Amino acid sequence: MYISISPQKTGAAFSKSAGDFVNYLEKENEGKSPMEKEYFFNQYDDNIKPYEVIKGIDGNTAKLKTKEPKYYSITMSPSQYELKHIRNNPEKLKAFVRDAMKEYAASFNREIGGRPVGVDDLKYYAKIEYERTYKSNDIAVKENKPYSKQIAHLKNELRKVERGEISGRTRKLENKIQKLVRDAPYKIQGKVIEPGMKKEGLQSHVHIIVSRKDASNKYSLSPGSKYKASEVEMHGKMVKRGFERDRFFQNSEKAFDKMFQYNRNYVESYAAKKMLSKDLKQYFLGLKNLGINEKKIAFKMIRQAGLQLPVLNLPTNKVGFIYKQLKKVIETGIKSSSIGY
């Protein structure tokens, strides 16, 4: 499970409306009938229309400054392993999101009206998307790039020959193009993977728009706060403030596992993901100490991210290099949701 939180946008000032973002999330509904469309949902309601989302978020921004985000975007991206486990069931995804948003509320270190923040204090809207496209930072695109550049150059040359602008043999150019396509490391149905192509397999994920202000439009709830667990004086009283991202990410993962009896592999766990960024050596040792079956699954996931090198029983002089390669590949896989996060 890969979860990210980002503000409305970066920059000096923020748009007054969530309209552009909501319209962007409607891209998979284009050309579909009302019965086929995927609608927004929140903690209690389904089939929420886009204009209701815009109205709800835009009307809940009391006293926010132009340099403050009006809302935050949360993306929850289950792995293909997790999606397969729940059979890509959208109702199960919705149930998970509703449970995870309880953890989101509980991760705020503050009180509202003398009590901890609860899910009913949130104003949020969520939407399931079923497709993903390859981006320039995906491993498949990066490793295909030299081939794609040569193919594009040869195709351009072929068109010029066909138009009579330059001399050349079309058959020879076509053969060169076909060889490059065969040699390219990543393909889908015989086509070289490039940015914009749809990813294969289960790709369901959830976008959540959550208002910066609470449902009463009185209190600010910012998951971007730098203060994790501190107290400040407000109106003559000491109050808690801050948001614990680690708690939210880890408890959301636990909620999924408990709800669906999912047996999470080591490399999928949030604890392992944190170790990857902080102590690569310990992460590597954790991999080596897994049981045989769990180790097989772990390295299958890592290979799916693009790591082709063996990472067990290495000569000492190559361990450092493999550590760096492993970290680079897994971090890229995490961000593109390609290896089980």
Side-chain angles (χ1 to χ4, degrees), residues 245-261:
R245 289 194 175 210
D246 281 356
R247 173 178 172 172
F248 171 49
F249 295 156
Q250 195 154 18
N251 286 354
S252 294
E253 179 183 280
K254 289 178 180 178
F256 183 94
D257 296 350
K258 182 178 179 180
M259 183 176 288
F260 305 119
Q261 292 80 54

Side-chain angles (χ1 to χ4, degrees), residues 38-287:
E38 187 73 33
Y39 291 96
F40 288 87
F41 65 94
N42 60 20
Q43 197 67 18
Y44 303 107
D45 299 316
D46 293 310
N47 301 319
I48 301 173
K49 307 292 193 301
Y51 75 87
E52 295 177 283
V53 177
I54 297 170
K55 182 179 178 181
I57 296 295
D58 290 357
N60 204 63
T61 59
K63 298 182 180 179
L64 287 179
K65 300 174 183 178
T66 57
K67 293 185 178 180
E68 292 180 306
K70 311 302 187 293
Y71 61 86
Y72 283 82
S73 169
I74 303 173
T75 304
M76 296 186 174
S77 303
S79 71
Q80 292 195 19
Y81 289 88
E82 291 166 324
L83 291 172
K84 185 178 179 181
H85 183 76
I86 64 171
R87 299 186 179 182
N88 203 31
N89 187 321
E91 294 307 314
K92 289 185 176 182
L93 268 182
K94 289 181 182 180
F96 163 66
V97 168
R98 286 166 171 152
D99 223 37
M101 291 310 285
K102 293 178 183 178
E103 300 297 343
Y104 177 84
S107 298
F108 282 98
N109 282 304
R110 68 166 300 171
E111 295 180 347
I112 290 180
R115 57 171 176 76
V117 177
V119 72
D120 289 341
D121 295 309
L122 305 177
K123 181 176 280 292
Y124 81 86
Y125 304 91
K127 191 166 187 287
I128 300 174
E129 289 192 335
Y130 298 95
E131 297 175 354
R132 283 189 180 279
T133 57
Y134 282 97
K135 296 179 174 59
S136 58
N137 65 334
D138 284 319
I139 288 174
V141 174
K142 285 183 175 180
E143 295 195 8
N144 277 350
K145 192 172 181 179
Y147 298 88
S148 297
K149 286 180 69 175
Q150 291 182 66
I151 290 170
H153 173 75
L154 289 171
K155 283 184 175 180
N156 184 50
E157 193 173 335
L158 178 60
R159 286 191 291 269
K160 289 181 178 180
V161 171
E162 290 173 339
R163 292 195 298 262
E165 296 175 10
I166 61 174
S167 60
R169 294 170 57 189
T170 57
R171 186 62 181 170
K172 184 177 181 181
L173 290 170
E174 287 170 350
N175 288 340
K176 286 183 177 180
I177 291 170
Q178 289 173 7
K179 184 178 186 306
L180 285 168
V181 170
R182 287 195 302 271
D183 292 345
Y186 295 95
K187 293 181 285 290
I188 296 177
Q189 296 180 350
K191 295 182 179 180
V192 177
I193 292 176
E194 295 180 338
M197 289 179 65
K198 289 181 182 179
K199 290 187 175 182
E200 62 277 34
L202 301 176
Q203 297 294 338
S204 299
H205 57 286
V206 184
H207 288 286
I208 303 167
I209 308 171
V210 57
S211 176
R212 166 72 175 266
K213 301 300 289 287
D214 79 311
S216 72
N217 206 12
K218 293 180 181 178
Y219 304 95
S220 177
L221 298 174
S222 170
S225 174
K226 296 179 181 178
Y227 303 95
K228 290 177 65 177
S230 60
E231 290 188 347
V232 294
E233 186 174 347
M234 293 181 67
H235 309 298
K237 293 196 309 182
M238 297 302 292
V239 297
K240 291 182 179 180
R241 65 179 298 178
F243 181 81
E244 292 192 80
R245 289 194 175 210
D246 281 356
R247 173 178 172 172
F248 171 49
F249 295 156
Q250 195 154 18
N251 286 354
S252 294
E253 179 183 280
K254 289 178 180 178
F256 183 94
D257 296 350
K258 182 178 179 180
M259 183 176 288
F260 305 119
Q261 292 80 54
Y262 182 68
N263 186 19
R264 186 169 300 278
N265 187 273
Y266 171 81
V267 300
E268 294 182 282
S269 69
Y270 180 71
K273 186 169 69 173
K274 279 202 72 177
M275 192 181 298
L276 175 67
S277 62
K278 291 187 174 182
D279 191 340
L280 188 56
K281 185 175 181 180
Q282 285 301 315
Y283 180 91
F284 188 79
L285 290 174
L287 283 172

Side-chain angles (χ1 to χ4, degrees), residues 284-295:
F284 188 79
L285 290 174
L287 283 172
K288 292 190 72 172
N289 291 332
L290 295 177
I292 294 174
N293 289 334
E294 191 176 5
K295 188 180 292 180

